[in-house]
Amino acid sequence: MRLLFFILFVLLAYLFLRKLLKDYQSGRKIQETDTRHMVRCAYCGVFLPEGEALTEDSDNFCCREHRELAKRDKN
Ligand SMILES: [Zn+2]
C-alpha cells in the first residue's frame, strides 16, 4: 500500500514539473515575440512591446500621458 502512494506521489510530481516547464517555455516564447516587435515612444523614446504601446497617427506611445503631451506639443 505504501508503494502505491509513493508511485502516485512521483506521478503527481512529474505532472507538476512538466506543467511548470511548459509554462516556462511558453512564457519565454511570448517574451521573444515581444522583443521582436519593440516600438519606441514618440515622446520620451522608451522602447516597449508593440502590444503595450498606444498608437495614434502611426506614432507609438508608452502611456496615455505621453500621447496627450505629444498631441499638445504638435498643436
Ligand atoms: Zn513615453
Side-chain angles (χ1 to χ4, degrees), residues 14 28 42 51 60:
Y14 168 72
R28 212 171 52 175
N60 296 294

PDB file of all heavy atoms in Angstrom, residues 14 28 42 51 60:
ATOM      1  N   TYR A  14       5.812  14.502 -11.230  1.00  0.00           N
ATOM      2  CA  TYR A  14       6.225  14.525 -12.634  1.00  0.00           C
ATOM      3  C   TYR A  14       5.289  15.413 -13.454  1.00  0.00           C
ATOM      4  O   TYR A  14       5.732  16.252 -14.232  1.00  0.00           O
ATOM      5  CB  TYR A  14       6.234  13.087 -13.179  1.00  0.00           C
ATOM      6  CG  TYR A  14       6.363  13.008 -14.678  1.00  0.00           C
ATOM      7  CD1 TYR A  14       7.573  13.313 -15.305  1.00  0.00           C
ATOM      8  CD2 TYR A  14       5.269  12.651 -15.471  1.00  0.00           C
ATOM      9  CE1 TYR A  14       7.678  13.264 -16.686  1.00  0.00           C
ATOM     10  CE2 TYR A  14       5.373  12.601 -16.849  1.00  0.00           C
ATOM     11  CZ  TYR A  14       6.581  12.904 -17.455  1.00  0.00           C
ATOM     12  OH  TYR A  14       6.674  12.858 -18.804  1.00  0.00           O
ATOM     13  N   ARG A  28       8.558  32.126 -22.232  1.00  0.00           N
ATOM     14  CA  ARG A  28       9.761  32.610 -22.905  1.00  0.00           C
ATOM     15  C   ARG A  28       9.459  32.912 -24.370  1.00  0.00           C
ATOM     16  O   ARG A  28       9.992  33.832 -24.939  1.00  0.00           O
ATOM     17  CB  ARG A  28      10.861  31.552 -22.797  1.00  0.00           C
ATOM     18  CG  ARG A  28      12.228  32.192 -22.735  1.00  0.00           C
ATOM     19  CD  ARG A  28      13.299  31.199 -22.423  1.00  0.00           C
ATOM     20  NE  ARG A  28      13.247  30.056 -23.306  1.00  0.00           N
ATOM     21  CZ  ARG A  28      14.149  29.076 -23.303  1.00  0.00           C
ATOM     22  NH1 ARG A  28      15.148  29.121 -22.467  1.00  0.00           N
ATOM     23  NH2 ARG A  28      14.056  28.059 -24.118  1.00  0.00           N
ATOM     24  N   ALA A  42       7.086  57.936 -29.048  1.00  0.00           N
ATOM     25  CA  ALA A  42       7.412  59.115 -29.851  1.00  0.00           C
ATOM     26  C   ALA A  42       7.701  60.323 -28.962  1.00  0.00           C
ATOM     27  O   ALA A  42       8.275  61.308 -29.413  1.00  0.00           O
ATOM     28  CB  ALA A  42       6.271  59.422 -30.811  1.00  0.00           C
ATOM     29  N   GLY A  51       2.548  45.395 -28.272  1.00  0.00           N
ATOM     30  CA  GLY A  51       1.238  45.110 -27.697  1.00  0.00           C
ATOM     31  C   GLY A  51       0.869  46.043 -26.556  1.00  0.00           C
ATOM     32  O   GLY A  51      -0.296  46.229 -26.249  1.00  0.00           O
ATOM     33  N   ASN A  60       3.821  55.730 -31.816  1.00  0.00           N
ATOM     34  CA  ASN A  60       3.594  54.878 -30.653  1.00  0.00           C
ATOM     35  C   ASN A  60       3.955  55.627 -29.379  1.00  0.00           C
ATOM     36  O   ASN A  60       4.905  56.406 -29.363  1.00  0.00           O
ATOM     37  CB  ASN A  60       4.429  53.602 -30.776  1.00  0.00           C
ATOM     38  CG  ASN A  60       3.999  52.779 -31.965  1.00  0.00           C
ATOM     39  OD1 ASN A  60       2.895  52.266 -32.009  1.00  0.00           O
ATOM     40  ND2 ASN A  60       4.872  52.678 -32.947  1.00  0.00           N
TER      41      ASN A  60
END
